[in-house]
Amino acid sequence: MLTAGLVMIVAIAAAIFAATTRNIVHAIFALAISLGAIALAFLILKSPFVAAMEVLIYIGGISVAMVFAVMLSSVGKSAPSEGMTRRLGAGFAAIAFFAGVAAVLIGADLDGLPVPETSAEAWSVQQIGRDLLDRFNVVFELLSVVLLLAILGAVTIASRNDGHDEASSGNAGAGLGARMPDEMRPGDSAASVNPASPASAAPSASDASRSEEARA
Amino acid sequence: MPKTLAEMLGSPMLAVATGLGGVMGLLSFNALFCIYLERKISAWIQRRMGPMEVGFHGMLQTVADMVKLLGKQLITPKGIDKPLYHLAPLVVFAPVVAGTSLMAFSGSFALHHIDLGLVLVFTFGGFAVLGIFMAGWGSNNKYALLGAMRSVAQNISYEIPLLLSALSVVMLTTSMGRTVTVGDETVAVQGLNLFHITMVQMDRNVWFIVLQPVAAILFFIAVLAETNRAPFDIPEAESELVAGFHTEYSGMRFALFFFGEYSNMLIGCMVATTLFFGGWSGPLLPGPVWFFLKSYALMAVMMWVRWTYPRLRFDQLMRFCWMVMIPLSIVNLLVTAFFLKVF
């Protein structure tokens, strides 16, 4: 009980820090800590598979992808400063969401639910896999639609940057090449890449603004 | 069924203490031994002698180097991002200890015995990228940041063929043996359990490299890339980036990164041994001896590769992953699924 409480305090504190800090990289690592604490919570709830997936996907995947996004984005034209109305709006949205979830949870008849099976058999990887492709197949397929949308969104954003040069947006290797600073960019493959692409200046720009951030 | 340390000692706390001590000892020995091995292999390939002065044939050279690193001043640069800079070596090293403790060293003994073994190994492997990025960003040095950036891009990309090639072995394991009889007990095979993967290979008298040669090669190449080994060592390309992400680290902090790298190599080789080379199985010698012999043979191949192939350029590296490795591993997975379904 004490451990669970400590874990949840860490999760919430790290999440609050992630939401409030001005340093985007600190925010990412705070989020990773928060997600790690949630994985621990799953472990306490005796769901090792979900805990492992939480770490594998959210810390190993999503956080690293965020780190990657930060490095590829140009910080020079950074986010517009949020006005008071935007902050209030975001606050209201968050409170409304929390209230909605809380209302559903309080209203739900939790005692009437069937007692979850706690045997090791019921939570084996095989059983989870079978359930995913059998009982919860529709949900599983819906999740893949979400992934498809994410891929489509990424392609759309990538092709908007240099719409006239479709070769580089469709090719992940060349796409990364386009974002390399000049001294790293190899001569021959850069021929197909627009040298005036704003993204190519990103790392050096982020480097300069980062040193200011670190001092702040 | 392998007995876990906790069962043998009868106390979980004692098991944690001895297990941690054992793993740390193994990893320390591994780092010292591998640095020596690397120097000797590189010297042999380049027709040199390598270290010869300290101890017999220079065997104590790495020990002397370690003492030197321990005594070195820890230089903390100005303008760093303090929490990230100081945490980075730990984030690189700590998951390695956890990952090593999951390994299937032998059929009769285990530190942990869980069905999620393979998943957890990859889970802990994913932390290294975060640590490297923390180091590169926290150092506030452009070479370090460039190295970290390359490392993150490389690790994300090569994780895909790594997992896909491991997945084809998992599919094979679950399909080939629903149950495996070891001694007088029969166990239901779990495809993600490292011990069961070895047991199925022992039961069928075949190494999975025979059945999955493509997956084995893809896995080994992906391990090379994940551990930032040459020819994929552009995150620390000395000729262009000083030392890459650990440029600003000195003394033991630097040594921890080095420890982490060699330990990750060992873990990669141990997982490859389990997946493709029959784990601890082998005649005459006891299981753990075979396991480490195979792992260190793979390690020697990694070093051989390092001193044979030149470093790839960044775009070549990315193109190789996305254009060759990922399509090949997907095709391999589909072919495996097809054959398992048909036969």
Side-chain angles (χ1 to χ4, degrees):
Chain A
M1 215 42 217
L2 185 70
T3 336
L6 277 177
V7 163
M8 284 338 282
I9 286 171
V10 169
I12 293 168
I16 289 174
F17 180 79
T20 51
T21 180
R22 301 287 298 169
N23 186 330
I24 184 85
V25 176
H26 285 182
I28 292 173
F29 286 112
L31 186 66
I33 291 171
S34 175
L35 293 167
I38 291 172
L40 275 181
F42 279 122
L43 213 55
I44 291 170
L45 293 171
K46 295 197 169 51
S47 310
F49 183 73
V50 186
M53 284 300 139
E54 178 87 20
V55 176
L56 188 66
I57 295 170
Y58 284 95
I59 299 181
I62 307 274
S63 301
V64 173
M66 282 182 185
V67 159
F68 204 48
V70 167
M71 289 190 302
L72 291 182
S73 62
S74 67
V75 187
K77 38 176 185 181
S78 71
S81 61
E82 317 131 37
M84 210 51 198
T85 43
R86 294 191 94 178
R87 279 193 195 183
L88 280 177
F92 273 126
I95 290 169
F97 179 74
F98 181 74
V101 172
V104 169
L105 278 180
I106 291 168
D109 178 22
L110 289 176
D111 296 330
L113 289 175
V115 181
E117 287 196 61
T118 47
S119 67
E121 279 293 289
W123 291 106
S124 72
V125 185
Q126 255 118 346
Q127 194 54 44
I128 291 173
R130 214 167 283 140
D131 280 349
L132 272 183
L133 293 176
D134 192 356
R135 247 171 91 197
F136 304 109
N137 196 4
V138 180
V139 184
F140 191 64
E141 292 300 327
L142 275 177
L143 284 178
S144 59
V145 173
V146 175
L147 281 181
L148 184 69
L149 281 178
I151 293 172
L152 284 178
V155 169
T156 313
I157 293 171
S159 61
R160 201 192 293 150
N161 277 347
D162 37 13
H164 57 280
D165 190 356
E166 280 173 33
S168 70
S169 65
N171 170 348
L176 282 162
R179 280 157 182 79
M180 286 194 295
D182 291 325
E183 65 263 33
M184 280 160 63
R185 188 191 293 150
D188 54 352
S189 75
S192 67
V193 174
N194 178 10
S197 153
S200 66
S204 47
S206 71
D207 209 19
S209 63
R210 190 175 66 86
S211 52
E212 286 164 23
E213 248 170 55
R215 265 179 233 116
Chain B
M1 274 290 93
K3 268 182 131 176
T4 61
L5 199 58
E7 284 166 4
M8 286 164 76
L9 295 173
S11 142
M13 289 313 282
L14 206 62
V16 168
T18 43
L20 255 180
V23 169
M24 292 295 287
L26 169 68
L27 291 181
S28 311
F29 169 76
N30 170 62
L32 290 178
F33 178 67
C34 279
I35 294 169
Y36 179 71
L37 196 68
E38 178 116 52
R39 284 174 165 176
K40 279 296 183 191
I41 288 183
S42 69
W44 179 59
I45 287 176
Q46 296 167 347
R47 302 200 68 175
R48 295 185 283 116
M49 298 294 276
M52 291 298 280
E53 296 295 326
V54 192
F56 177 70
H57 278 253
M59 281 178 90
L60 294 174
Q61 182 66 52
T62 40
V63 179
D65 287 348
M66 215 66 224
V67 172
K68 183 196 77 173
L69 277 175
L70 275 170
K72 267 196 169 180
Q73 185 191 0
L74 286 176
I75 297 165
T76 312
K78 274 184 187 165
I80 51 162
D81 194 328
K82 277 215 179 73
L84 297 187
Y85 178 87
H86 290 298
L87 274 178
L90 294 179
V91 173
V92 169
F93 188 67
V96 164
V97 179
T100 311
S101 69
L102 294 162
M103 288 302 148
F105 299 107
S106 106
S108 53
F109 166 74
L111 292 179
H112 289 298
H113 182 239
I114 27 182
D115 288 340
L116 286 170
L118 195 59
V119 177
L120 285 179
V121 170
F122 290 128
T123 304
F124 291 125
F127 277 99
V129 200
L130 272 184
I132 287 175
F133 178 73
M134 284 165 94
W137 183 276
S139 302
N140 197 13
N141 171 317
K142 65 178 156 193
Y143 297 113
L145 185 66
L146 281 174
M149 203 175 132
R150 292 176 176 193
S151 175
V152 173
Q154 176 179 326
N155 272 280
I156 294 180
S157 310
Y158 279 89
E159 203 153 349
I160 303 167
L162 185 81
L163 292 178
L164 287 178
S165 50
L167 198 59
S168 52
V169 171
V170 172
M171 277 165 53
L172 208 60
T173 309
T174 28
S175 305
M176 276 181 71
R178 306 253 176 233
T179 56
V180 164
T181 311
V182 181
D184 51 353
E185 59 180 335
T186 307
V187 275
V189 171
Q190 304 279 338
L192 294 170
N193 186 318
L194 290 166
F195 293 89
H196 291 182
I197 293 173
T198 310
M199 285 178 194
V200 169
Q201 294 179 67
M202 284 167 81
D203 196 46
R204 299 294 150 115
N205 280 319
V206 65
W207 286 359
F208 280 152
I209 190 174
V210 180
L211 302 174
Q212 286 285 345
V214 182
I217 293 166
L218 288 175
F219 188 87
F220 191 70
I221 295 175
V223 166
L224 281 179
E226 286 283 307
T227 50
N228 298 330
R229 293 285 301 177
F232 304 106
D233 64 342
I234 49 168
E236 42 190 296
E238 304 90 353
S239 53
E240 32 189 309
L241 289 185
V242 191
F245 62 88
H246 55 65
T247 303
E248 296 287 0
Y249 286 86
S250 58
M252 270 318 278
R253 291 190 191 132
F254 161 75
L256 270 184
F257 280 119
F258 233 76
F259 258 131
E261 183 180 324
Y262 279 105
S263 310
N264 268 323
M265 281 168 67
L266 180 68
I267 291 180
C269 289
M270 290 197 291
V271 174
T273 304
T274 310
L275 290 181
F276 298 106
F277 295 95
W280 68 79
S281 65
L284 297 174
L285 297 170
V289 176
W290 273 113
F291 186 79
F292 282 106
L293 269 182
K294 289 173 185 173
S295 300
Y296 279 102
L298 281 177
M299 199 84 113
V301 174
M302 279 178 119
M303 291 169 184
W304 177 21
V305 167
R306 170 171 177 182
W307 298 102
T308 307
Y309 290 103
R311 186 177 293 147
L312 284 176
R313 221 169 48 205
F314 193 65
D315 62 315
Q316 293 171 327
L317 180 115
M318 281 302 175
R319 188 167 301 134
F320 179 65
C321 182
W322 289 92
M323 304 295 227
V324 180
M325 302 258 302
I326 293 179
L328 253 182
S329 53
I330 292 175
V331 167
N332 182 58
L333 196 66
L334 289 177
V335 170
T336 311
F338 176 78
F339 275 97
L340 289 178
K341 203 71 199 164
V342 170
F343 299 110

